[in-house]
Amino acid sequence: MTAILDKIQIDSQDKRLCCYFNSTKKVQVARISNIENWYLEHVVFPGERFLFEAPSSAELEIYQSGSGRAMLLQKLTCYDLVVDDGSDLKVAS
């Protein structure tokens, strides 16, 4: 599925790799719209992991259909979804 993503015009220091996992049995829509001049929307299928890059201040909204319309299921801060890239790990010698 294609994500609609404009290039982030934010300091690269603030961009983080984030991950959301759809643990439900329903299709969900993940959306970020609280960052000025930037928008992201992606369909996340059941059991799918969605990796994306976003500012830590972004809020990921999760929508799921219910009663014939999309309902906001949860709102998560991207700061809480950051993937540990292992850069802080020290290699034993």
Side-chain angles (χ1 to χ4, degrees), residues 8-93:
I8 301 175
Q9 302 296 326
I10 295 174
D11 181 14
S12 62
Q13 295 280 357
D14 188 45
K15 292 189 294 187
R16 304 284 186 251
L17 180 63
C18 304
C19 181
Y20 172 75
F21 177 66
N22 179 356
S23 62
T24 71
K25 293 183 180 183
K26 294 187 175 186
V27 174
Q28 297 178 334
V29 174
R31 181 181 301 153
I32 295 176
S33 59
N34 71 313
I35 303 299
E36 188 176 333
N37 299 319
W38 188 71
Y39 183 81
L40 176 140
E41 186 171 287
H42 183 79
V43 174
V44 187
F45 291 96
E48 181 182 14
R49 283 180 173 79
F50 171 44
L51 287 172
F52 59 98
E53 192 174 60
S56 55
S57 61
E59 295 177 341
L60 185 70
E61 298 173 339
I62 304 299
Y63 292 86
Q64 190 169 291
S65 68
S67 302
R69 60 185 175 97
M71 297 174 57
L72 179 61
L73 186 64
Q74 58 185 330
K75 188 181 277 193
L76 307 162
T77 62
C78 289
Y79 180 81
D80 293 329
L81 300 173
V82 171
V83 174
D84 180 14
D85 65 1
S87 62
D88 293 335
L89 298 178
K90 294 182 181 178
V91 178
S93 52

